[in-house]
Amino acid sequence: MELSLSTHTVGEHTVLEVGGEVDVYTAPRLRERLIELVEGGARHVVVDLSRVEFLDSTGLGVLVGALKRLRAVNGTLGLVCAHERLLKIFRITALDRVFALYDTVEAATEATGADPGTA
């Protein structure tokens, strides 16, 4: 399955909508897009994973890298992840304690700078 990426702005947040599969083959495209956003000045990024069918460890690594990159510039990263199959991956890897996870883009954009666990 192909990876789809589209971006729009909600207030001061840049929302990156991701669709398809994020795996060893498609993760480099996601990484490049996230780097472009941060280098382009985005500081509050929301990655909408609601249309993602599959996410592997390479994709998780890309998201961790984006979080580190944003934290280095005093930015924030929120993930929209409401599907149980993806939430299970975050719980198993304990990344649900690292990332701010939200059910909707609206919830993510309203919680600027919220710490994980307060979302």
Side-chain angles (χ1 to χ4, degrees):
M1 177 177 265
E2 227 6 72
L3 178 72
S4 66
L5 301 172
S6 63
T7 309
H8 66 275
T9 303
V10 176
E12 59 184 50
H13 292 82
T14 301
V15 179
L16 176 60
E17 294 179 357
V18 183
E21 296 182 358
V22 183
D23 57 22
V24 68
Y25 302 105
T26 60
R29 283 188 50 217
L30 177 59
R31 178 184 294 112
E32 289 168 15
R33 187 66 184 119
L34 286 163
I35 290 170
E36 286 172 8
L37 291 174
V38 177
E39 288 180 351
R43 292 297 173 260
H44 302 290
V45 177
V46 173
V47 179
D48 183 355
L49 301 172
S50 39
R51 290 184 15 245
V52 170
E53 300 297 322
F54 177 79
L55 178 70
D56 73 2
S57 60
T58 309
L60 288 174
V62 167
L63 295 172
V64 169
L67 179 62
K68 288 180 179 179
R69 189 176 301 275
L70 280 158
R71 283 184 175 168
V73 295
N74 295 319
T76 61
L77 178 69
L79 303 180
V80 175
C81 182
H83 297 300
E84 184 57 34
R85 69 181 180 280
L86 292 183
L87 287 169
K88 186 175 181 180
I89 294 167
F90 286 98
R91 282 195 295 269
I92 289 170
T93 58
L95 289 173
D96 60 334
R97 295 187 216 140
V98 175
F99 288 105
L101 300 171
Y102 303 94
D103 290 336
T104 65
V105 170
E106 292 75 26
T109 57
E110 289 172 4
T112 304
D115 290 326
T118 63

